[in-house]
Amino acid sequence: MTIEDMFGDLKKIDILAEKSEANEVLMVLVCNGFIDGSPQTQKALLDKMEGYLNHTQSEVFQAEYADWSVILRVTFDEEPDQLILALLNK
């Protein structure tokens, strides 16, 4: 399985939804298949998460959601390698 199969385009946000009554933005990173604990996979996951976090600091995002809470949820359709869970816990 390739990195793109596991995480999609590393430069794109998978899902972004807003809950205006609570001033919350939900960003969902979707992981497909088994996410192994290899250094390449760990780096790709961190790169994708960094893209999400950088987006929250962008002028476009700040103009619309400056005072909103941001929730970043990482979803898996299979239990990932324990190294991935340990990485996310950090």
Side-chain angles (χ1 to χ4, degrees):
M1 180 174 281
T2 68
I3 294 296
E4 289 77 23
D5 290 336
M6 289 187 267
F7 303 120
D9 187 336
L10 296 181
K11 297 181 180 184
K12 290 191 177 177
I13 308 264
D14 296 331
I15 300 171
L16 188 143
E18 60 181 60
K19 190 174 181 182
S20 57
E21 64 277 2
N23 285 357
E24 292 179 346
V25 176
L26 172 65
M27 301 172 83
V28 181
L29 191 161
V30 179
C31 301
N32 300 299
F34 177 70
I35 308 302
D36 66 75
S38 71
Q40 179 185 12
T41 300
Q42 291 182 49
K43 181 179 180 334
L45 178 57
L46 290 174
D47 287 348
K48 182 123 185 184
M49 291 176 72
E50 183 178 22
Y52 278 54
L53 297 174
N54 287 339
H55 180 66
T56 66
Q57 300 303 308
S58 70
E59 288 182 31
V60 172
F61 188 92
Q62 288 295 312
E64 192 161 350
Y65 305 113
D67 297 325
W68 290 37
S69 297
V70 177
I71 300 165
L72 173 55
R73 181 169 293 149
V74 181
T75 64
F76 300 95
D77 64 355
E78 291 184 31
E79 181 80 16
D81 188 285
Q82 292 301 310
L83 289 172
I84 295 297
L85 293 176
L87 179 67
L88 292 173
N89 281 326
K90 289 182 182 179

